[in-house]
Amino acid sequence: QVQLVESGGGLVQAGGSLRLSCAASGSIFSINVMGWYRQAPGKQRELVATITSGGEQYYADSVKGRSTISRDNAKNTVYLQMNSLKPEDTAVYNCNISGRLLSGSTFRSWTQGTQVTVSS
């Protein structure tokens, strides 16, 4: 009922930038929280950043000051601009979106993930 399309991952040199995007479509009535998580090899998944429908943002300390999360409500899309990338940012990045369907039910959807690799 909700489809997410994620894009923007890839290989970048340390110090470079990437912009991830995640677009939601389907029987969506409203979207509440949109966020990004990441999981590096051998590590637990960690929350990177979130943004609420009201625009409130949260950032993990590891990306604070280097990343900006934003959303386009008209397009049901969330973005993660990552600057000054470090090798330790290398991970699979997943988009997570929660909200309410037209049916009234709530939903929480994940993407399969996009690989971000930062070379030193």
Side-chain angles (χ1 to χ4, degrees), residues 5 30 45 55 57 73 82 87:
V5 177
S30 63
R45 184 171 62 192
Q57 301 169 23
N73 291 326
M82 299 186 291

Side-chain angles (χ1 to χ4, degrees), residues 6-59:
E6 183 178 27
S7 63
L11 174 65
V12 64
Q13 288 189 331
S17 299
L18 278 178
R19 188 195 196 203
L20 306 181
S21 65
C22 175
S25 62
S27 304
I28 299 170
F29 174 72
S30 63
I31 294 177
N32 184 14
V33 181
M34 309 178 90
W36 293 93
Y37 290 73
R38 68 184 181 185
Q39 187 167 21
K43 294 187 177 181
Q44 288 189 329
R45 184 171 62 192
E46 68 168 330
L47 174 61
V48 177
T50 60
I51 184 168
T52 68
S53 57
E56 293 180 1
Q57 301 169 23
Y58 164 84
Y59 296 95

Side-chain angles (χ1 to χ4, degrees), residues 77-93:
T77 299
V78 60
Y79 306 95
L80 182 67
Q81 177 69 43
M82 299 186 291
N83 302 320
S84 302
L85 284 162
K86 305 175 181 179
E88 50 263 44
D89 293 317
T90 295
V92 174
Y93 285 70

